[in-house]
Amino acid sequence: MTSATGRRILVTGAARSTGRRLVTALARDPAVASVVAVDDARPPEPFGAKVEFLRVDLRSPAVVRALQSTGVDTCVHLGVTAEPLAAGGRASMKERNVLGTMQLLAAAYHAGDLRRLVLKSSTAVYGAAPGDPAVWGESMDPGTPRHGFGKDSIEVEDYARSFDRRRPDVAVTVLRLANQVGPTVDNPLTRYFALPVCPVVFGFDPRLQFLHSDDAQAVLLRAVLGPAAAGTFNVAGDGVVLLSQAIRIAGRPSLPIPEPLVSSVTELLRRTVDFSPEQVRYLQFGRVADTTAAREELGFSPARSSLAAFEDFAATRLHRLVTQERVDRLERDALAALRRAAGWLSGGVGT
């Protein structure tokens, strides 16, 4: 809804990278009268004019008052996290993600001026498993996530669909974004590629999709300020990138890990880069989502392909540790060591 005084927009998760960029862009738009930025942590720098920052939990009465008293016409929910350690543990993460969303939408239900709800979800709802389809479409049933961020995202989307049924006057847009990369992105996946050595599951080379942070901001702006487009949309850069290809572009050696040892390596990654078991499965089986609906119905196509997005991330954020020749040699040495170990084990069994 655009009134004579301009749009009034509430953004959750406003102190994080995606939220800060979106709030700043919205505040600069002449069609926007005001932005209410909500987060339980302070942003690194204060927001400028037209932005009221609320440092509160989503379950706070202050959020209810902001939705009901400031004439907010659009709610943008970015406040779902994929990092359990940063959230204070898995239980706290689930409470923030699922219960926080439930409380936010309960308040939004009573916001009479609300006309648009935009939810930043994730292709993680599809999970990652050996029997998955080659390409996921929005109409398919969610995949295999039974815990973690993927399960949280499914439950959050369920609350959004319930809200949609109860408030048919509000256009509900759900954006399932692929893994973001870019010069300012800091998440478990970008930290993985910044490791001195990238562990991989021996015998697997999954297909991955990436979304550049500039394109993530662009699709959010399109959903917020463009013509209302209700529905669920996969958003990812065109094409796919093999994990081995991404590691080479990052200039890292890969370390093949036999599948029985993956859980031990997962625990190590969890301590260093806040990696979860479901993210390890993603790096074992991969995930590809169909983005046709975003192009045809939402009218959005990312400016960068998955490959171009990752190349920009690698060029701007990663110091190349080794040359391509060094990468190839380290990979050959690691494979030779595994073969020797396998031969030793088989010899030991036979004696």
Side-chain angles (χ1 to χ4, degrees):
M1 178 181 69
T2 303
S3 66
T5 56
R7 299 283 300 278
R8 300 181 183 278
I9 302 167
L10 183 142
V11 180
T12 70
R16 305 170 198 175
S17 175
T18 301
R20 295 197 307 270
R21 288 162 57 86
L22 180 63
V23 168
T24 301
L26 289 172
R28 291 173 178 166
D29 194 293
V32 176
S34 63
V35 179
V36 179
V38 178
D39 208 313
D40 57 3
R42 290 194 180 279
E45 298 178 358
F47 293 114
K50 297 201 295 188
V51 179
E52 176 189 0
F53 177 67
L54 296 179
R55 187 181 182 183
V56 294
D57 185 277
L58 288 182
R59 294 158 293 176
S60 168
V63 178
V64 178
R65 290 193 296 270
L67 277 165
Q68 297 177 0
S69 65
T70 60
V72 167
D73 59 74
T74 301
C75 177
V76 187
H77 185 27
L78 311 179
V80 179
T81 181
E83 302 183 43
L85 288 181
R90 171 61 190 141
S92 177
M93 171 180 157
K94 181 177 179 62
E95 185 174 334
R96 291 186 182 196
N97 287 345
V98 179
L99 297 183
T101 297
M102 180 179 67
Q103 297 285 359
L104 175 71
L105 296 183
Y109 175 75
H110 298 286
D113 294 316
L114 191 69
R115 292 297 177 267
R116 195 176 300 201
L117 171 68
V118 178
L119 169 66
K120 182 179 81 69
S121 187
S122 168
T123 56
V125 298
Y126 300 122
D132 286 349
V135 180
W136 286 99
E138 293 91 342
S139 62
M140 296 179 178
D141 291 333
T144 57
R146 293 184 175 87
H147 52 76
F149 175 62
K151 186 175 187 296
D152 288 357
S153 296
I154 291 173
E155 294 185 30
V156 166
E157 286 194 12
D158 285 343
Y159 281 121
R161 279 186 283 272
S162 176
F163 175 87
D164 191 21
R165 291 191 294 268
R166 297 167 63 203
R167 284 289 304 267
D169 58 317
V170 177
V172 177
T173 304
V174 178
L175 302 175
R176 290 176 177 168
L177 305 187
N179 288 283
Q180 285 192 58
V181 293
T184 63
V185 177
D186 179 29
N187 60 33
L189 194 64
T190 62
R191 292 176 215 138
Y192 165 80
F193 287 110
L195 291 171
V197 176
C198 293
V200 299
V201 183
F202 182 71
F204 291 84
D205 195 11
R207 300 172 304 150
L208 312 178
Q209 285 178 312
F210 299 104
L211 181 67
H212 196 278
S213 53
D214 289 346
D215 287 319
Q217 177 180 324
V219 73
L220 286 167
L221 286 172
R222 161 63 186 83
V224 174
L225 299 178
T232 301
F233 304 96
N234 295 328
V235 184
D238 291 340
V240 299
V241 181
L242 296 177
L243 176 59
S244 60
Q245 183 182 8
I247 292 173
R248 286 188 175 91
I249 293 170
R252 265 61 180 167
S254 61
L255 177 62
I257 305 297
E259 209 165 350
L261 300 180
V262 167
S263 59
S264 299
V265 177
T266 299
E267 183 60 32
L268 177 62
L269 287 174
R270 185 181 305 170
R271 296 173 184 174
T272 55
V273 297
D274 209 354
F275 233 50
S276 66
E278 63 182 330
Q279 288 162 329
V280 174
R281 286 192 294 273
Y282 171 67
L283 293 179
Q284 181 175 7
F285 302 112
R287 182 169 54 241
V288 178
D290 181 16
T291 59
T292 302
R295 291 195 305 271
E296 297 182 352
E297 300 175 32
L298 189 62
F300 178 81
S301 296
R304 288 182 173 89
S305 67
S306 287
L307 177 59
F310 191 84
E311 287 176 335
D312 183 66
F313 156 70
T316 55
R317 285 286 304 278
L318 300 179
H319 171 64
R320 193 173 183 86
L321 296 179
V322 291
T323 64
Q324 183 60 51
E325 293 76 14
R326 175 70 170 162
V327 170
D328 293 339
R329 187 170 70 82
L330 287 170
E331 287 182 346
R332 288 195 300 269
D333 291 347
L335 286 172
L338 285 172
R339 292 191 187 102
R340 288 194 298 272
W344 179 81
L345 288 172
S346 61
V349 171
T351 59

